[in-house]
Amino acid sequence: MKKIINQPDQVVGDMLNGLAYAYDSLVRRVPDTTVIARTLDPSGKVGLVSGGGSGHEPSHAGFVGKGMLSVAVAGQVFTSPTPDQILEGIKAADEGQGVFLVIKNYTGDVMNFDMAKELAELEDIEVDSIVVDDDIAVEDSTFSAGRRGVAGTVFMHKILGAAAESGASLKEIKALAEQVNNNLYSIGLALSPATNPEVGKPGFELEDNEIEFGIGIHGEPGYSRENLKPSKELAEEFVSKLKKEANWSSRDKFAVMVNGMGATPLMEQFVFMNDIRALLDDGEDLDLVYRKVGDYMTAIDMAGVSLTLLKIEDDKWIDYLNAPVEVIGW
Amino acid sequence: MKKIINQPDQVVGDMLNGLAYAYDSLVRRVPDTTVIARTLDPSGKVGLVSGGGSGHEPSHAGFVGKGMLSVAVAGQVFTSPTPDQILEGIKAADEGQGVFLVIKNYTGDVMNFDMAKELAELEDIEVDSIVVDDDIAVEDSTFSAGRRGVAGTVFMHKILGAAAESGASLKEIKALAEQVNNNLYSIGLALSPATNPEVGKPGFELEDNEIEFGIGIHGEPGYSRENLKPSKELAEEFVSKLKKEANWSSRDKFAVMVNGMGATPLMEQFVFMNDIRALLDDGEDLDLVYRKVGDYMTAIDMAGVSLTLLKIEDDKWIDYLNAPVEVIGW
């Protein structure tokens, strides 16, 4: 394992300290917790909390700040944060109007965030939540019952963050979150595996010319191993799978994200976006009203990309996506 | 070679098209060129042009937009753009107040940008330039006479961009650029080599537990190969080298950048920043007034980090660093 770290079991603490130090005008680490909270004074808005295992940076702490999340709670690498850590996050996010949790659909996260919700309710904080399950690659997986939550979660953060900032109520945010989740579709592939520093070796192996379609963001198995193909053919595979789910028609509006998995350079991500453009814009005649390319939901040092499509059901979502933010990673 | 590309010789064109499509509100590709220009209407400010070989994304196209560059000119991977391409860039940047070129110190870039300057002057465009040589690791290198230009170039873009936006003249920008360059110090290391898609194999080799100190952003040799060490010790090596150059005293003000080389995840970059914090802020008692962590000047898919320090000679530089921008990659 070749990594710039100190003790493997201190990686998360060191990382959170480095992040909070580098961007102390935007965020702070709540002492004695794994909670990264924004530095803004409370404004009486609904608190927005996300989080999960570490290793997906800039998710989720990179999206804490004005216009996106109030708080992110970090677990150990690829491991859900504990209910008591999430409770600390909920308390830090609470501005008196309730707190909304954005949970990626993994068994550990769902269980621990639910438990934290109950604990917070005992302390008279109103809490509601969404479980994001945008990954269309596989039904149940090694880490989840049902579909996994992946890069589409970042669009969820952005849209709910803008809505919360503009004064939406907890009930309105819940309804918006459900509508967004119903229109959110992602799929990924890996060229090389991730190495969890707490484990010390790659989570799986791929041959020199092999890729895996449908990979999860913790290296969970996808649906097919094949030889590496040109970018255009990778894009075709993604688009054909997404079309079956999203069932689009010409001129339908979509937001699109090409997301790097951590070790894939922007060069390749932009090449891939160019092939997605040809297929979706020129080919399918979709109206891609919002576009984003970069590392947003990574899998430590995995090489690969994912593609996320959000069908725009309400033009207000476009405004929410374009609304200004003050965060590290958007 | 495992990459998400189509034909290796089309990588740069595909990438520029993907980038310009994804962010068409910010930038456009000037037809039949490798020039990425901002979409803003001219405002009568000094034009700011940078560029160089591709493979350093988001440099330089990711810094085109309001508050930073007017134009970026891309060459083939790790190869300077040609004088005629740079001339196209100068023309696209010209708003009647002269054009300033930010050139990284590599033999090919210096020669071609200088030639383009002469061509532009024949067309009555006033042009001046700075050659950035912030890399303290080695004197002359395989690609340069004198020190190389690396990640500090991005601080140069930001500061000059803010100055140009606020109406500074070509002469003022030249003086500012020289002052910034005289106070700019970078050093990098690699954990793994980069693979140029046009070449098809890694530019050098490292053993499983070996790193290289002082590596260049094209994989040019550094000054020492050693076994991998904990992050703290890597940070100590960088800080001791930088201290000799920058010759600082307690409470001196610096801007700091931890830069990822392309395949190193943010997790490790933040861990490294935490160790830099301990050494420079706690240890040396420097005043790190501006901090930045992420992939800014990469070497395709090289794993590694660099550290850049800018000694703040004028508090206005801090305002310039903090000024808002509308670009892809800042």
Side-chain angles (χ1 to χ4, degrees):
Chain A
M1 177 175 63
K2 224 173 185 180
K3 286 183 186 290
I4 302 170
I5 60 172
N6 296 298
Q7 296 301 318
D9 62 352
Q10 293 172 5
V11 164
V12 173
D14 287 356
M15 170 179 76
L16 295 177
N17 286 341
L19 179 144
Y21 175 76
Y23 295 101
D24 67 351
S25 63
L26 299 176
V27 298
R28 64 190 173 89
R29 182 174 178 185
V30 178
D32 304 318
T33 72
T34 59
V35 172
I36 296 290
R38 61 195 211 169
T39 51
L40 291 177
D41 289 332
S43 60
K45 71 167 201 65
V46 169
L48 198 60
V49 173
S50 193
S54 292
H56 307 301
E57 294 70 30
S59 289
H60 299 273
F63 303 119
V64 172
K66 192 168 185 179
M68 285 185 85
L69 300 176
S70 310
V71 155
V73 189
Q76 290 303 103
V77 179
F78 289 176
T79 305
S80 172
T82 58
D84 62 304
Q85 289 294 317
I86 301 167
L87 177 63
E88 293 297 330
I90 292 171
K91 287 183 189 172
D94 180 30
E95 302 183 12
Q97 300 299 316
V99 173
F100 193 79
L101 311 179
V102 179
I103 310 165
K104 299 196 299 304
N105 189 32
Y106 298 101
T107 309
D109 289 282
V110 172
M111 192 171 68
N112 290 354
F113 276 81
D114 276 354
M115 239 188 282
K117 177 175 183 289
E118 285 172 30
L119 294 171
E121 284 164 351
L122 289 175
E123 302 195 22
D124 290 326
I125 303 175
E126 198 182 355
V127 182
D128 210 336
S129 64
I130 184 79
V131 176
V132 180
D133 57 354
D134 56 316
D135 189 343
I136 66 159
V138 295
E139 299 300 329
D140 309 328
S141 78
T142 42
F143 278 46
S144 67
R147 291 176 168 187
R148 300 170 301 213
V150 292
T153 309
V154 180
F155 275 158
M156 183 72 80
H157 294 161
K158 183 67 180 72
I159 288 173
L160 299 189
E165 213 69 62
S166 72
S169 69
L170 188 61
K171 201 175 153 189
E172 288 164 339
I173 287 177
K174 168 80 173 184
L176 176 61
E178 286 181 338
Q179 206 188 355
V180 167
N181 193 48
N182 290 338
N183 287 282
L184 201 54
Y185 310 95
S186 298
I187 184 168
L189 66 84
L191 277 68
S192 73
T195 299
N196 181 336
E198 295 169 3
V199 176
K201 60 186 180 57
F204 59 98
E205 285 182 20
L206 283 171
E207 300 294 329
D208 276 353
N209 195 35
E210 202 177 34
I211 61 165
E212 182 156 338
F213 281 115
I215 197 85
I217 56 172
H218 312 91
E220 313 95 292
Y223 60 83
S224 171
R225 287 195 173 193
E226 302 183 24
N227 283 339
L228 179 63
K229 301 174 195 322
S231 172
K232 280 178 190 173
E233 295 176 32
L234 301 176
E236 281 164 6
E237 169 72 16
F238 276 9
V239 166
S240 76
K241 279 277 188 298
L242 289 165
K243 187 175 185 175
K244 278 181 201 153
E245 294 289 329
N247 199 18
W248 58 63
S249 308
S250 175
R251 306 316 295 155
D252 278 355
K253 290 179 191 171
F254 280 89
V256 58
M257 172 186 285
V258 169
N259 170 63
M261 291 292 195
T264 287
L266 275 174
M267 171 185 279
E268 296 172 46
Q269 297 178 40
F270 283 124
V271 168
F272 191 68
M273 174 53 105
N274 188 48
D275 291 315
I276 293 297
R277 175 197 60 73
L279 292 170
L280 292 184
D281 193 330
D282 301 351
E284 298 285 329
D285 194 32
L286 300 185
D287 189 8
L288 301 182
V289 292
Y290 187 85
R291 308 147 194 174
K292 198 90 179 147
V293 180
D295 287 6
Y296 299 103
M297 180 70 73
T298 62
I300 317 179
D301 52 358
M302 188 189 285
V305 289
S306 65
L307 178 65
T308 295
L309 290 176
L310 170 65
K311 188 170 182 188
I312 304 291
E313 290 275 318
D314 181 340
D315 280 353
K316 198 172 224 179
W317 298 3
I318 306 172
D319 299 334
Y320 286 154
L321 287 167
N322 282 307
V325 290
E326 293 171 19
V327 302
I328 300 168
W330 179 246
Chain B
M1 176 174 63
K2 224 173 186 179
K3 286 183 185 290
I4 301 171
I5 59 171
N6 296 298
Q7 296 302 319
D9 62 352
Q10 293 172 7
V11 163
V12 173
D14 288 356
M15 171 179 76
L16 295 178
N17 287 340
L19 179 143
Y21 175 75
Y23 295 100
D24 67 352
S25 63
L26 298 176
V27 298
R28 64 191 174 89
R29 181 174 178 184
V30 178
D32 304 318
T33 73
T34 59
V35 172
I36 297 290
R38 60 193 212 169
T39 51
L40 290 178
D41 289 332
S43 60
K45 67 167 202 67
V46 170
L48 198 61
V49 173
S50 192
S54 293
H56 307 301
E57 294 70 29
S59 289
H60 298 274
F63 304 119
V64 172
K66 192 167 184 179
M68 286 184 83
L69 299 177
S70 310
V71 156
V73 189
Q76 290 303 103
V77 179
F78 289 176
T79 305
S80 173
T82 58
D84 62 305
Q85 289 294 319
I86 301 167
L87 177 63
E88 293 297 331
I90 293 172
K91 287 183 188 172
D94 179 30
E95 302 182 13
Q97 299 300 316
V99 173
F100 193 79
L101 311 179
V102 179
I103 310 164
K104 300 194 300 302
N105 189 33
Y106 299 101
T107 309
D109 289 282
V110 171
M111 193 171 68
N112 289 355
F113 275 82
D114 276 353
M115 241 189 280
K117 176 175 184 287
E118 285 172 28
L119 294 170
E121 283 163 353
L122 290 174
E123 302 196 23
D124 289 327
I125 303 174
E126 197 182 355
V127 181
D128 210 335
S129 64
I130 183 81
V131 175
V132 180
D133 57 353
D134 55 316
D135 189 343
I136 65 158
V138 295
E139 299 301 329
D140 308 330
S141 77
T142 43
F143 279 46
S144 66
R147 291 177 169 187
R148 302 170 299 214
V150 291
T153 309
V154 181
F155 276 157
M156 183 71 81
H157 294 162
K158 183 67 182 73
I159 288 173
L160 299 189
E165 212 69 63
S166 72
S169 70
L170 188 61
K171 199 175 153 190
E172 288 165 339
I173 288 177
K174 169 80 172 182
L176 177 60
E178 286 182 337
Q179 207 187 354
V180 167
N181 193 48
N182 289 338
N183 286 281
L184 200 54
Y185 311 95
S186 297
I187 185 168
L189 66 87
L191 278 68
S192 74
T195 299
N196 181 335
E198 294 168 3
V199 176
K201 60 185 178 61
F204 59 98
E205 285 182 20
L206 283 172
E207 301 295 328
D208 276 354
N209 195 36
E210 202 178 36
I211 62 167
E212 182 155 338
F213 281 115
I215 197 86
I217 57 172
H218 312 91
E220 312 96 292
Y223 60 84
S224 170
R225 287 195 174 193
E226 302 185 23
N227 283 339
L228 179 62
K229 302 175 194 322
S231 172
K232 279 178 192 174
E233 294 175 31
L234 302 176
E236 281 164 6
E237 169 71 17
F238 276 9
V239 167
S240 77
K241 280 276 188 297
L242 289 165
K243 186 173 185 175
K244 277 181 202 154
E245 293 290 329
N247 200 17
W248 58 63
S249 308
S250 176
R251 305 316 297 156
D252 278 354
K253 290 179 191 172
F254 280 89
V256 58
M257 173 186 284
V258 169
N259 171 63
M261 290 292 195
T264 285
L266 276 175
M267 172 187 277
E268 295 172 48
Q269 297 178 40
F270 283 124
V271 168
F272 192 67
M273 173 53 105
N274 188 49
D275 291 317
I276 294 297
R277 174 197 62 72
L279 292 170
L280 291 184
D281 193 330
D282 301 352
E284 298 286 329
D285 195 32
L286 299 185
D287 189 8
L288 302 181
V289 293
Y290 187 84
R291 307 148 194 174
K292 198 88 176 146
V293 179
D295 286 7
Y296 299 102
M297 180 68 74
T298 62
I300 317 179
D301 52 358
M302 188 188 286
V305 290
S306 66
L307 178 66
T308 295
L309 290 176
L310 170 65
K311 188 171 182 185
I312 303 291
E313 290 275 316
D314 180 340
D315 281 352
K316 199 173 223 180
W317 299 3
I318 306 172
D319 299 333
Y320 287 154
L321 287 168
N322 282 306
V325 290
E326 292 172 18
V327 301
I328 299 167
W330 180 246

